[in-house]
Amino acid sequence: MHKRLNKLLVANRGEIAVRIIRAAQALGIPTVAVCSEADRDSLAARLADEVRLIGPARADRSYLDIEAILMAARETGADSIHPGYGFLSENPAFAEAVQAAGLVFVGPEAQTIRRMGDKAEARRTAMAAGVPVVPGSPRPRGDLAAALAGAEQERKLE
């Protein structure tokens, strides 16, 4: 069962934020854009129903500030957060913090982000699910010599 989103906070900037805002609005979901001081006049900020400044231009003091983003959600009554791409979208701690705050994280579960962030684990998971993968090592190689030996062995199997 899916929960209807009542207000979506977009935790990103630029074209990604614009696309998310437009899609949400097309679905009748009000939007909140968070932005740094440098992006306060951006297209995303102009398109969103609401805007919250979350810090200075430096991304580590704005778009990567989990507490500032959660505070913006609380202040605006947003019930969901879309991380977009980059920034916090691949941070399992952010997904967990959003859910711990009682909000919907519009993205994969933290466990999935963690699993897919480990390339060897991602490969094993894909293979176990029957997803075709390119030929390669089933586990990380310890050093360059081991990697070269593994590559030579794979080449001989072809």
Side-chain angles (χ1 to χ4, degrees):
M1 184 169 121
H2 297 289
K3 178 184 174 187
R4 167 89 176 136
L5 306 181
N6 295 313
K7 187 184 284 188
L8 177 68
L9 183 139
V10 180
N12 216 292
R13 66 178 177 195
E15 180 64 21
I16 297 305
V18 168
R19 288 179 182 211
I20 295 165
I21 289 166
R22 285 181 172 157
Q25 290 175 337
L27 294 170
I29 301 168
T31 58
V32 177
V34 294
C35 61
S36 72
E37 292 169 357
D39 296 322
R40 73 173 69 217
D41 295 320
S42 68
L43 178 58
R46 292 193 312 268
L47 289 175
D49 298 297
E50 295 179 58
V51 177
R52 282 293 184 272
L53 291 175
I54 55 170
R58 285 185 39 184
D60 65 330
R61 298 190 47 215
S62 55
Y63 297 102
L64 295 174
D65 186 338
I66 293 172
E67 190 49 45
I69 292 168
L70 293 176
M71 183 173 293
R74 285 190 293 271
E75 290 173 350
T76 61
D79 64 342
S80 52
I81 297 179
H82 193 308
Y85 300 99
F87 288 130
L88 294 170
S89 68
E90 296 179 20
N91 183 329
F94 180 57
E96 290 168 340
V98 170
Q99 292 176 330
L103 306 171
V104 174
F105 181 75
V106 181
E109 294 182 10
Q111 176 182 346
T112 302
I113 296 170
R114 212 172 263 111
R115 181 177 292 140
M116 293 300 107
D118 177 334
K119 300 310 175 203
E121 178 64 18
R123 180 179 177 78
R124 285 190 295 273
T125 300
M127 290 170 70
V131 175
V133 297
V134 298
S137 173
R139 64 190 180 291
R141 301 294 180 166
D143 57 24
L144 179 58
L148 290 172
E152 181 61 26
Q153 186 177 18
E154 286 290 325
R155 188 186 66 75
K156 288 178 182 178
L157 293 175
E158 291 179 350

